[in-house]
Amino acid sequence: MNLRIPLSSPDITEAEIEAVAAVMRTSSLSLGPKLEEFEDALATYHKMPRAIAVSSGTAALHLAIRALNIGEGDEVIVPSFTFVAVANAVCFERATPIFVDIDPITLNLDPKCVEAAITPRTQAMIIVHTFGVPAEMDALMSIARRHKLAVIEDACEAIGAAYNDQLVGSFGDVSVFGFYPNKQITTGEGGAVLARDAQLAARIRALRNQGRYPSTEWLQHEEIGYNYRLSEMACALGLVQLKRAPEILAQRTQVAQWYDALLAPIGSMTRPPLDLPSRSISWFVYVVRLAENLPPDARDTVVDTFQKQGIGSARYFAPIHLQPAYASIPSAHQAKLPTTESIAKRTLALPFFNRLSLSDAERVARALAGAIEIAANG
């Protein structure tokens, strides 16, 4: 069935189309001027000294872990309530993901649980700003400093979000972003790494491009690297999207406000907070939580009801430590995450994108109220 109201939709204007077309009229389609321009724009936007554009947010995570020399025998603290790439990237380098529980309000790493999970083998933590809500950076950075841990910020869902008026992605040793089509801004496929340290950034650039350093020949490789490059067309698209970021983020905030008002009368469901202390939210998705007293299959009932009415939805997130891919990972079996497991089985993402109309938001609200009533009455 074609969904009349999709879960997400990229916001592409004529300006983006013209920018991409202009690149295609040149002979420079990779590693050209648009790459440098996009990287400079990302660094300037975040008040960071350097950015490295790459092929995906997953590639960005992998390069960050590799460049920090995290490997076999090392432990990295991660949330389980997040996209699977966070833990996968740790496993790429044969390190061990240590799954830690989340705060029930922000859905980000709980600092108390992080502190309790640190061992002599802990080398780093990946702080994910889940759903565009900044994590508790003061507490988490303090823990990292005390224990001399590297900090990777995963801001793939949170470009433009801020903690104490400082943009996320500008706190850690490195930070990563993703620009998949469902994100606030998109390059189609793509991502980026931000780094303060010049040597670390230089290594990430080399690893992105098959281990080549600027001083070497094209077929000279100083270390084993990857093809994690981002095309000139993608960078041209990203440049226009980044310039539009204030407008895009404002539109998404408006949609969140519509939902908040429309869903307020509906029982047996909790809305995400519109505001949190010390934080500015960058709305990536709009995720509600069904009440614990609903039948266990209530979320499936809502998803099926939405599907029949041509409305998109998604079960965000399935905990990583319970995924089939992690069935053989000891740290996944050992994880005790009651908050993650309780919340994850009740969360549901509603249609959410820049240009979602008020009338469509109203239709989603009516459908959700009806679906919850069906679920509650069996």
Side-chain angles (χ1 to χ4, degrees), residues 47 50 98 132 155 174 207-208 226 272:
K47 298 181 180 177
R50 47 195 66 84
I98 301 298
V174 291
L207 290 169
R208 166 187 70 180
Y226 311 90

Side-chain angles (χ1 to χ4, degrees), residues 2-337:
N2 290 326
L3 297 177
R4 195 175 80 75
I5 308 178
L7 179 62
S8 64
S9 178
D11 182 1
I12 304 298
T13 70
E14 284 301 316
E16 284 92 339
I17 295 169
E18 291 172 7
V20 172
V23 170
M24 296 180 72
R25 295 187 184 100
T26 74
S27 60
S28 182
L29 302 184
S30 183
L31 298 176
K34 289 300 174 184
L35 172 66
E36 294 184 11
E37 192 178 345
F38 184 45
E39 290 176 339
D40 288 345
L42 283 170
T44 299
Y45 181 85
H46 291 94
K47 298 181 180 177
M48 288 285 282
R50 47 195 66 84
I52 305 97
V54 296
S55 56
S56 69
T58 304
L61 280 164
H62 185 198
L63 292 179
I65 292 165
R66 175 95 173 179
L68 289 167
N69 295 316
I70 293 167
E72 192 166 3
D74 295 332
E75 295 177 349
V76 180
I77 289 173
V78 300
S80 181
F81 188 78
T82 189
F83 187 56
V84 70
V86 172
N88 285 355
V90 176
C91 295
F92 291 166
E93 293 301 310
R94 300 183 180 275
T96 301
I98 301 298
F99 298 101
V100 168
D101 219 346
I102 55 173
D103 174 84
I105 304 299
T106 67
L107 306 183
N108 292 315
L109 285 174
D110 184 329
K112 298 188 297 297
C113 297
V114 169
E115 187 103 51
I118 294 171
T119 75
R121 293 168 58 180
T122 308
Q123 297 298 313
M125 69 172 82
I126 300 178
I127 301 173
V128 182
H129 303 291
T130 309
F131 300 155
V133 177
E136 185 58 60
M137 294 308 296
D138 283 348
L140 291 170
M141 293 302 294
S142 176
I143 291 168
R145 284 191 291 268
R146 282 201 310 276
H147 295 275
K148 299 180 180 179
L149 304 181
V151 172
I152 301 170
E153 276 186 88
D154 183 336
C156 286
E157 300 175 359
I159 191 167
Y163 181 86
N164 283 336
D165 298 321
Q166 181 177 340
L167 287 179
V168 301
S170 62
F171 290 85
D173 296 285
V174 291
S175 59
V176 301
F177 293 82
F179 305 125
Y180 189 70
N182 66 345
K183 299 297 195 298
Q184 293 89 328
I185 72 167
T186 185
T187 58
E189 291 279 4
V193 184
L194 302 186
R196 282 194 182 82
D197 182 81
Q199 288 187 327
L200 186 66
R203 188 176 184 210
I204 292 171
R205 287 186 194 281
L207 290 169
R208 166 187 70 180
N209 189 25
Q210 304 288 14
R212 298 183 183 101
Y213 283 81
S215 60
T216 57
E217 298 285 338
W218 180 254
L219 295 179
Q220 186 74 21
H221 308 275
E222 300 300 317
E223 61 178 311
I224 294 173
Y226 311 90
N227 178 2
Y228 284 165
R229 298 185 296 266
L230 189 63
S231 75
E232 286 287 278
M233 290 78 75
C235 291
L237 172 57
L239 272 165
V240 180
Q241 289 266 293
L242 187 59
K243 289 174 184 175
R244 294 181 53 219
E247 163 204 343
I248 288 170
L249 296 179
Q251 289 172 331
R252 296 175 84 90
T253 298
Q254 176 63 82
V255 174
Q257 291 170 344
W258 286 340
Y259 269 141
D260 188 71
L262 291 167
L263 302 182
I266 301 176
S268 298
M269 181 269 303
T270 301
R271 310 184 308 282
L274 275 182
D275 300 291
L276 288 166
S278 306
R279 294 166 172 85
S280 174
I281 298 171
S282 172
W283 288 91
F284 165 52
V285 289
Y286 192 90
V287 174
V288 299
R289 299 184 216 175
L290 301 182
E292 291 183 87
N293 61 0
L294 287 173
D297 63 349
R299 185 171 62 174
D300 292 337
T301 299
V302 175
V303 170
D304 290 344
T305 302
F306 272 30
Q307 181 73 19
K308 291 172 183 175
Q309 296 186 32
I311 299 172
S313 63
R315 302 165 179 86
Y316 268 71
F317 276 112
I320 300 173
H321 74 288
L322 300 179
Q323 295 280 341
Y326 280 76
S328 63
I329 305 292
S331 65
H333 293 283
Q334 295 160 6
K336 306 298 181 186
L337 312 176

